[in-house]
Amino acid sequence: MLLEFKIKNYKSFTTETCFSMFAAPKQHGLNYSILKESINKKTIRALSSTVIYGPNASGKTNLIGAMETLKSIILRGNIKNTETGRTHNIASSLLELIPNRDANMNEPVEFTLKFTECGLLFEYFLSVNLGRFMESAAERRIIEESLSVNQQNVFLRKYSPEEPKAEKLTTGFLGVISDFLPNELCDNITGAQKLAEGNLNPKELFLTNGFKNIFSQKIVNIITDWLEKKFITIYRADVTELLPEISTPAKDTVYVDNMLNKAVKIFGLGGDEIGYIKTEDKPAVLSSAFEGKKNVIIPAELFESYGTVRFAKVIYPLVFNALSNGGVLAADEFDASIHPMALMSIINAFHNDEININGAQLIFNTHNPVFLNSNLFRRDEIKFVDREEGAEGSILYSLADFKTVGRAGVRKGENYQKNYFISKYGAIRDIDFSTIFKEALQHKAEAGQIHDIS
């Protein structure tokens, strides 16, 4: 369960920005949207969903991209560039694209990730020097790295060029993870720490290297498994394609997922059936079948709408994965090409205690104002990203940050959509292209490129 994600100096987010999935303490209503988990006899209340609004180029996509970037860095275990980028988020593999481009000084990039898994509360912090924007030759190094479990510090790694010994590693209260430590380590923790400190690499994470190999592979596996299998980040949902795991057949074979087929029919399937056709030497292809037409099977892209194809290839598999595994689905413009009623049904699945039995969470950016609805989202589930003209960077805030009284207050049950369009909450801009269109047409006419064809 994701609880918090913080970033600093990541692209447009220059100052420390906290994306919180904690339920606001004084927020009432729509309690079915709240997830609860007990850690150390304390109950954690978290949101099952969040919708993020803001104008174009405000930083909404950067927020999802930052999540994916940290995930990528941890899973590969270093802050080096890589050519094996999984998505269109190039910054996750070319790290020189991360620092804010307007920064006058070489400021470190910082990430903090707080989540629960296996009955434990994890908090991981990483501060790295990546140089300035597009400074690919900069000497990178990890400045600080720490891990806490159940609010107890497990290790702290810190680099300080002013001190005689530039980099120090200290272990904290390892008793909090005693069940995950090898027996032989308990007798020689001091020796293990010295060994780990002597093998620190400025570009490699201690978490997935020294700590994993010397202290606790089990704890690191819990973290990386959660990142890989449950923290689903979609940077460009419009280009993502999920293919089913199908073994190589001896000849062309058609596979039909009955649940997918039923879901797509509800969505608005044009053909009679939909499934995947797999050939021996090619990847699976989503296809439509037509009963009574001599079993005609064609690629779905040739017959179905883009929305239907995207729902079958991306939306349904992602949502089902999150719901079945209790995962976090964070997607940029998740609602692209999907009717609002279909998306509302998906949102309601995350809010339904009888369906969302594993504690899944949905986070998505959108421009569609239909979700600004007090009957659909709590105030703390509605967030805004803004980038005011002349300001240094993006800011993130929640509708719950507004007071409930006074002229600028946000009262329960008021018309969020109407107030958003009159700029009561910010994160919206007046846009008028008429002047530029008129100027461009006049310029083209004066250049003799527009002719009267009447």
Side-chain angles (χ1 to χ4, degrees):
M1 184 166 66
L2 177 65
L3 299 176
E4 248 180 22
F5 178 73
K6 295 179 184 178
I7 47 175
K8 182 180 180 181
N9 196 34
Y10 184 96
K11 293 192 174 183
S12 61
F13 292 94
T14 55
T15 59
E16 184 179 79
T17 299
C18 178
F19 175 83
S20 175
M21 290 294 284
F22 281 109
K26 296 182 180 180
Q27 171 76 64
H28 301 289
L30 299 183
N31 289 327
Y32 52 78
S33 299
I34 300 302
L35 305 175
K36 297 179 182 179
E37 184 171 355
S38 180
I39 304 286
N40 267 2
K41 298 181 180 180
K42 293 183 179 180
T43 300
I44 296 174
R45 299 171 70 251
L47 304 173
S48 62
S49 64
T50 286
V51 57
I52 308 170
Y53 283 92
N56 290 107
S58 61
K60 301 187 305 300
T61 300
N62 289 345
L63 182 62
I64 303 296
M67 294 178 182
E68 185 175 76
T69 297
L70 177 61
K71 171 181 175 177
S72 177
I73 289 173
I74 295 176
L75 290 180
R76 70 175 179 257
N78 61 66
I79 55 171
K80 303 172 187 177
N81 283 352
T82 175
E83 297 180 356
T84 58
R86 299 178 300 104
T87 74
H88 286 69
N89 181 14
I90 306 301
S92 66
S93 54
L94 299 179
L95 303 187
E96 62 266 25
L97 297 175
I98 289 177
N100 181 266
R101 64 184 182 184
D102 297 323
N104 295 322
M105 299 178 63
N106 185 359
E107 296 288 342
V109 177
E110 297 180 0
F111 302 91
T112 305
L113 180 65
K114 184 182 290 187
F115 66 98
T116 63
E117 179 68 353
C118 296
L120 300 171
L121 172 62
F122 294 94
E123 183 171 351
Y124 178 73
F125 173 76
L126 179 66
S127 175
V128 295
N129 184 350
L130 300 176
R132 297 184 183 183
F133 177 71
M134 288 300 292
E135 191 180 0
S136 57
E139 187 62 31
R140 299 176 183 174
R141 77 162 299 119
I142 295 169
I143 304 298
E144 187 172 335
E145 182 186 7
S146 66
L147 175 68
S148 295
V149 178
N150 291 353
Q151 298 182 310
Q152 297 287 336
N153 176 257
V154 173
F155 73 77
L156 171 62
R157 167 194 189 176
K158 198 166 186 177
Y159 171 77
S160 178
E162 291 81 15
E163 296 184 14
K165 189 174 182 181
E167 192 162 22
K168 290 185 177 180
L169 174 70
T170 56
T171 54
F173 180 62
L174 296 181
V176 70
I177 57 170
S178 58
D179 292 342
F180 302 91
L181 298 176
N183 294 329
E184 59 271 20
L185 178 65
C186 299
D187 299 326
N188 191 18
I189 290 180
T190 302
Q193 180 176 323
K194 289 183 179 179
L195 176 62
E197 191 172 24
N199 287 277
L200 290 175
N201 185 302
K203 295 182 182 179
E204 291 185 354
L205 304 187
F206 177 63
L207 173 72
T208 47
N209 292 284
F211 186 77
K212 178 180 180 178
N213 296 328
I214 299 174
F215 288 89
S216 179
Q217 182 177 355
K218 292 180 180 179
I219 282 291
V220 176
N221 284 346
I222 291 174
I223 295 172
T224 55
D225 283 352
W226 183 83
L227 286 168
E228 191 167 19
K229 300 174 183 178
K230 292 189 176 184
F231 193 30
I232 311 163
T233 53
I234 305 298
Y235 180 74
R236 284 283 304 275
D238 61 319
V239 295
T240 301
E241 180 174 338
L242 302 178
L243 296 175
E245 295 183 3
I246 299 173
S247 58
T248 303
K251 59 180 181 179
D252 294 1
T253 306
V254 176
Y255 298 85
V256 176
D257 183 327
N258 290 330
M259 293 298 103
L260 171 63
N261 200 44
K262 289 179 180 179
V264 177
K265 284 185 177 180
I266 294 173
F267 185 83
L269 177 65
D272 295 305
E273 303 287 341
I274 198 164
Y276 286 88
I277 184 167
K278 181 72 173 70
T279 59
E280 186 175 359
D281 56 348
K282 295 181 180 179
V285 176
L286 185 71
S287 303
S288 295
F290 305 90
E291 192 68 31
K293 300 291 184 182
K294 296 182 179 179
N295 294 325
V296 174
I297 300 175
I298 62 173
E301 284 90 345
L302 300 180
F303 184 80
E304 309 294 348
S305 70
Y306 172 73
T308 301
V309 172
R310 185 168 175 268
F311 177 80
K313 280 186 173 182
V314 181
I315 304 301
Y316 177 81
L318 285 175
V319 170
F320 181 74
N321 184 302
L323 290 172
S324 61
N325 294 324
V328 183
L329 174 54
D332 179 52
E333 297 193 6
F334 182 65
D335 60 329
S337 75
I338 297 181
H339 194 278
M341 293 301 292
L343 188 58
M344 282 185 181
S345 180
I346 291 173
I347 293 168
N348 286 333
F350 284 83
H351 290 179
N352 190 325
D353 295 338
E354 296 180 358
I355 297 175
N356 192 8
I357 57 177
N358 297 311
Q361 294 169 294
L362 174 65
I363 302 164
F364 68 99
N365 300 336
T366 185
H367 293 288
N368 194 332
V370 72
F371 307 112
L372 284 167
N373 188 324
S374 60
N375 293 317
L376 189 61
F377 286 106
R378 294 160 46 102
R379 282 177 293 145
D380 49 1
E381 292 181 305
I382 299 174
K383 293 180 171 57
F384 301 97
V385 176
D386 203 359
R387 195 174 184 179
E388 297 179 3
E389 189 174 349
E392 289 187 2
S394 301
I395 56 173
L396 171 70
Y397 55 96
S398 165
L399 197 57
D401 294 336
F402 291 80
K403 296 180 180 179
T404 57
V405 296
R407 193 171 182 179
V410 179
R411 296 169 182 81
K412 180 181 177 181
E414 70 177 41
N415 192 326
Y416 298 159
Q417 185 177 142
K418 175 184 175 182
N419 289 339
Y420 178 60
F421 278 110
I422 63 174
S423 197
K424 185 175 180 178
Y425 311 139
I428 191 170
R429 295 180 190 145
D430 290 328
I431 297 176
D432 184 0
F433 293 116
S434 58
T435 301
I436 189 65
F437 284 142
K438 183 177 180 180
E439 183 181 343
L441 288 168
Q442 183 178 352
H443 177 75
K444 192 172 184 179
E446 290 173 353
Q449 297 179 25
I450 294 182
H451 306 283
D452 185 358
I453 60 173
S454 59

